Amino acid sequence: MCGIVAYLGKKTARPILLEGLKRLEYRGYDSAGIAIVTDGKLYLERRVGRVGNLEEAIDGRKEFDGSLGLCHTRWATHGGVTDFNAHPHRDDRHGIVVVHNGIIENYSALKQYLQEKGHTFASQTDTEVLAMLIGELYEGDIEKAVQAALREVTGAYAIAVICEKEPNVLVAARKGSPLMVGIGSDNEYIVASDGAAIIAHTARVIMLDDYNVVKITRDGFHTTDIHNTPLSPKVQQLEIDLEQIELGAFPHFMLKEIFEQPSSVRACIGGRMNIREGKVVLGGLSSFAKELTKASQVILTAQGTALHAAMIGRYMLEDLAKIPSHTEYASEFRYRNPVIEENTVVVAVSQSGETADTLAALYEAKERGALAIGVVNVVGSSIARETDAGVYLRVGPEIGVASTKAFIGQVGALALISFYMARKRYMSADQCIDMMKEMEAIPAKIEKILESAPRIKKITEKYIERENWLFLGRGYNYPTALEGALKLKEISYIHAEGMPAAEMKHGPIALINEGMPAVFIANRGRQYEKVMSNIQEVRSRGGHVIAVATEGDTEIAKHVQDVMYIPDVCEPLSPMLAVVPLQLMAYYAAVARGHDVDKPRNLAKSVTVE
Ligand code: M6R
């Protein structure tokens, strides 16, 4: 969603800030802004649209050549998409500017208080209220004013603040929204909401915790809480490679990440399977082995693609480990007054580890006494930190807004957790060895599917004029059908519905008309015959069937318009293969329809507001 980059050092801030902002574009935004202090004076510019518009607006303007500054990409929450609502926001008295991710929940009451004090507002945003509040409390020390203001606000924030009257100071703080400080050589600092904006300059960072306030000057930095109590955060290494966040030879991050999936799976499972002994090695769970063995139920909670992976995880936990399991939208779980019995394990699944609903569900589950496990990609993210234990996906940074390699990683990690829990209950070492061998073979099988990308592109292009699609699957591949439909919707803006193949007869079959594309996941498995009957039902009503089928199944080709083959695989792991042609279809459909795949309209990479 929103992105923050701020700089204090000896270099010209502008190129560092703009380059950082471009690296955060993937998160989704609608406007951008920058403020720089040059020769003791503050200069500010904001623009609706791309970072490129902002760059043009300040191009060649010497007043933006200072070495202290901050910038922001905004994804509108309070107030429309206008230049005035874009960040940075400034107070009306001291030249204080603020960039902010999150939501100040009590902004309305604060605004009224500030208006009574004579402040006038230029925007409809909660962030401007925070800037004014800092200004109202300013008595010559920007750090103190920020601390005082943050003691008054409720809600979530990651902020960076500068003040014209203190041209050698940058202040940043966080609560509930990620923020880190990159420590470069020679007293150079970059504050950012995402390591992608820092890694080109330094890998040494401190991750701010909730209620941390950091004051950076040209001589160093110190950290306190909002009551000015000194803290000593630890300096860590950012685990990101520049190569991972650059496109290389690919036209889009989404395609790059689809093609990375074989190595994503290898990274996810690497060192975690002792195939000889039938043992799963998950260091992140080892301290809770006892609790996991006696788990009475598992609730998996997530949003979007992560929820689809969680649904597959549920099937595996029930099928392999025989543990009663449920999945639920985190947004619903939180408000439904859920019953958490003794020995309940809640698994929060999230690529970013920052999804507000998933985080809130996690707090709720912990409050009610559940053991909280995270299945997260971003190391050190809020969900990773708030869970009792967890398993990282290890698939590397995912830049494409449409999640692909994280899905594969989530299913892979959940499979490992299922094997781990199954081994502690009913699964024999031999059975586990068989499953692990299947898992070990997945990367090469994905590679094989990727070789057929040109064929999948051709098939897709036959249907791109169609505005309504169905995605159908059963069992383990019902969630895959949901994921296929979500991918198509997100980036090609085609209406698609995913559902269990059997559900179609209960209503959606009425939608089928001549030529409507229906994508069936029809790989070999327990429900193959049933899926074949569903295919006939669509065909006899004029629908065009595109089947995802098992290599060697030549029979199916006689009953459908198009087939996309995947290698043979055991049922629990079949979604890790079946999803790949669906990801490619969505990608090729979006490209053929002329959409910017990595910047889909209205979408943010990580949804940090409820
Ligand atoms: O970061 P998370 O995995 O928690 O994100 C959850 C969803 O917002 C995310 O999967 C979303 O649905 C993606 N746009 C899917 O491609």
Side-chain angles (χ1 to χ4, degrees), residues 303-306 349-353 355 358 401-403 410 483 486-487 490 603-607:
Q303 297 287 143
T305 288
V349 185
S350 173
Q351 187 286 127
S352 62
T355 298
T358 311
V401 174
S403 186
Q410 285 156 351
E483 179 58 9
L486 177 63
K487 284 288 89 80
E490 286 190 293
L603 289 188
K605 176 66 183 157
S606 155
V607 182

Side-chain angles (χ1 to χ4, degrees), residues 491-522:
I491 51 169
S492 70
Y493 319 142
I494 291 171
H495 173 244
E497 279 194 50
M499 68 190 73
E503 176 63 13
M504 185 186 60
K505 284 200 288 293
H506 299 274
I509 198 164
L511 293 172
I512 294 169
N513 56 14
E514 196 54 44
M516 179 182 188
V519 181
F520 275 88
I521 298 140

Side-chain angles (χ1 to χ4, degrees), residues 264-265 268 375 393 395 404-414 576:
S264 307
V265 178
C268 176
V375 174
L393 308 187
V395 300
T404 53
K405 66 175 182 176
F407 174 81
I408 291 265
Q410 285 156 351
V411 178
L414 287 164
M576 295 176 85

